[in-house]
Amino acid sequence: MGWFWADTAPSAPAAPVAPHPMPRGNMEPPPSCPMHKKATPPAKAEVPAGACPYVPPSTSSDASPPTATAPPKQGLLSRLNPLNNMFAELDNSRSDIQTQDLPLSRESSTIPKADGSLWEYPSPQQMYNAMLRKGYTDTPVDAVESMVSVHNFLNEGAWAEIMGWERRFSRGLVDGYKICKQGEERANHMLGTAENPFDTTTWKDADIPPPKLLRFTGRPTEPTPKSQILQWAGWAFPEKYGTAPPFDRHDWFVERCNQKGCKEIRYVIDYYEGAPEPTGEPVFFLDVRPAIDGPTGAGERIVRWGTDVFWRASGGEARILKKVEDARREREELERMGRRQYN
C-alpha cells in the first residue's frame, strides 16, 4: 500500500488521468528534494580567548599532512524520499532474475500533491524492483501487475474516504455538524456525492481549495489503538467482533485550507482483508479517520459517527417520511376544499 512517488518528470508520453489512467516513464526526485543537496561540512570551531592554545593533533604524528574531509556516507535513510519513505531513485529496468517483462508505464492517481500536481503510482517494474530491494526475492513476477492494481485501488479508496471527511469538516466543527446531523445518506445528498460517496474529485465549495496529500508513511508494525480494541472485543465476543487484525497501517498527512488559513491534518488508515467473493476476487475494508492529535480530531469523529448513530436510532428517517406524508395529505385536503368551493 501507499507506494506513491513524488517524482514528476516522465521520460515517456503520459497516459490519461485516473481513476485508472497511467502516465509513463522514469522519474527523478524534484530539485527541492533534500537528496539533491550536498551535506555542508561543519565549521571549524575557534579556540576561545584565554584557552590553551595547544590543539592536539588528529593523528599520532604531528608531521602528518592534513587529509581531505571524507565524503558523507550514503546510508539507507539518505536514499529515501522523505515524502513517502520509499527509494527516490528506483530503476525501471528489468531485473536480472526476472523471467518475463513487466510494464514500465505508471498510473496517475486522482490525489493532488502540495504543488497541485498528482501523485503517481509505481509501474509494475518499479514495484517488483522495490520488493526485491526490500528482500522479497520470492515474489512471483506474474502476480506483480495484479498487486499494483490492488495497491492503486486501495489508495484511491483511502483518498475517497479522506475526501468525505474533508467535505464535512473543512470549514470547522460547527459547519460539519450541520452537514452530519441528519445521518450519512442525507449528508452525501447535501455534498453532491449521493450517486457515488467514494468520489475522489468532487469539491463543491468554491471558497476554499480542496485538500492535498502532503506526505504519508507506512507503519505496519504499529497497530492503532482502535484496531487493538477491536481485537480485544473479538477475543471477548468472537461472533460479533471477531476479525483478523489489519494487514497494514498508514498515516497520511493532508493539507486542509479554509477561511482561517491552512493546517496539516493527520489521518490514520487501517487496512483489513475480508472473505473473498464467490468468484474468488479479494475483498478489503478500509478504516479511515482523523487521528486524535488534539480536540479537533476527536470532535470530528464524535460528530460524524455520533450524529449518524443518533439519527438512525431515534428514527430520524421515519420522522422525515412522516412529515412528507403529512404535507402530502394537507396539500390534497386543500385541493379538495378548493374543488368544493368551485362547485
Side-chain angles (χ1 to χ4, degrees):
M1 256 38 56
W3 289 12
F4 295 102
W5 299 89
D7 320 318
T8 55
S11 60
V17 174
H20 294 296
M22 304 197 50
R24 308 169 179 271
N26 298 324
M27 315 301 284
E28 293 295 331
S32 60
C33 181
M35 288 171 288
H36 281 292
K37 301 177 182 178
K38 296 182 178 178
T40 304
K44 183 177 180 181
E46 296 182 1
V47 179
C52 178
Y54 171 75
V55 179
S58 57
T59 62
S60 58
S61 173
D62 294 345
S64 300
T67 56
T69 303
K73 295 181 179 180
Q74 297 296 319
L76 173 64
L77 293 180
S78 67
R79 289 179 283 138
L80 297 182
N81 188 326
L83 298 181
N84 52 19
N85 290 330
M86 290 300 300
F87 293 106
E89 298 179 3
L90 189 62
D91 192 7
N92 201 22
S93 60
R94 178 177 173 135
S95 171
D96 294 337
I97 65 172
Q98 274 182 241
T99 57
Q100 67 183 60
D101 290 333
L102 289 170
L104 306 180
S105 57
R106 300 174 59 183
E107 180 175 355
S108 179
S109 73
T110 61
I111 307 173
K113 296 194 291 187
D115 60 4
S117 61
L118 297 177
W119 286 88
E120 291 182 326
Y121 299 121
S123 69
Q125 183 65 62
Q126 286 178 316
M127 174 76 85
Y128 184 67
N129 289 343
M131 297 187 73
L132 292 180
R133 209 159 175 176
K134 288 190 168 191
Y136 300 108
T137 55
D138 58 345
T139 303
V141 180
D142 56 357
V144 173
E145 290 187 64
S146 298
M147 293 167 59
V148 170
S149 297
V150 171
H151 159 271
N152 298 356
F153 171 77
L154 291 179
N155 279 302
E156 291 295 316
W159 184 247
E161 294 281 358
I162 290 175
M163 286 288 288
W165 285 95
E166 290 298 310
R167 292 186 189 105
R168 287 162 172 79
F169 296 104
S170 58
R171 286 185 173 273
L173 281 174
V174 174
D175 287 296
Y177 172 77
K178 293 176 181 177
I179 295 173
C180 297
K181 64 181 180 180
Q182 291 187 332
E184 282 291 291
E185 291 187 10
R186 292 190 175 273
N188 287 329
H189 277 281
M190 187 182 301
L191 296 169
T193 57
E195 296 293 327
N196 181 16
F198 300 104
D199 184 353
T200 60
T201 56
T202 298
W203 187 260
K204 295 183 65 177
D205 199 332
D207 297 334
I208 58 177
K212 299 175 182 178
L213 176 61
L214 302 178
R215 67 187 189 281
F216 59 91
T217 183
R219 302 170 66 183
T221 61
E222 303 175 53
T224 62
K226 182 180 178 182
S227 69
Q228 289 181 307
I229 292 173
L230 290 176
Q231 291 303 303
W232 295 336
W235 174 79
F237 307 98
E239 294 184 359
K240 187 173 183 179
Y241 297 105
T243 182
F247 63 85
D248 201 1
R249 176 251 175 109
H250 274 191
D251 286 10
W252 288 20
F253 299 84
V254 174
E255 181 184 70
R256 174 188 294 177
C257 297
N258 54 27
Q259 62 275 17
K260 298 180 181 179
C262 297
K263 62 180 179 179
E264 184 177 281
I265 305 294
R266 181 170 69 98
Y267 281 89
V268 179
I269 308 170
D270 284 324
Y271 297 83
Y272 293 87
E273 186 173 5
E277 295 283 358
T279 57
E281 295 179 352
V283 175
F284 301 98
F285 301 97
L286 274 61
D287 187 1
V288 183
R289 67 274 188 196
I292 304 181
D293 293 331
T296 300
E300 290 176 2
R301 288 199 198 187
I302 293 171
V303 167
R304 184 171 184 182
W305 294 334
T307 52
D308 185 60
V309 170
F310 177 79
W311 180 256
R312 290 185 283 111
S314 63
E317 283 301 316
R319 292 197 303 272
I320 292 290
L321 293 176
K322 186 177 183 301
K323 288 181 180 180
V324 172
E325 183 65 18
D326 291 345
R328 184 185 64 80
R329 290 176 179 174
E330 183 178 354
R331 186 170 58 252
E332 291 176 352
E333 183 64 24
L334 291 174
E335 291 175 355
R336 283 196 296 269
M337 291 176 61
R339 285 196 296 269
R340 282 204 288 289
Q341 291 177 358
Y342 178 77
N343 293 333

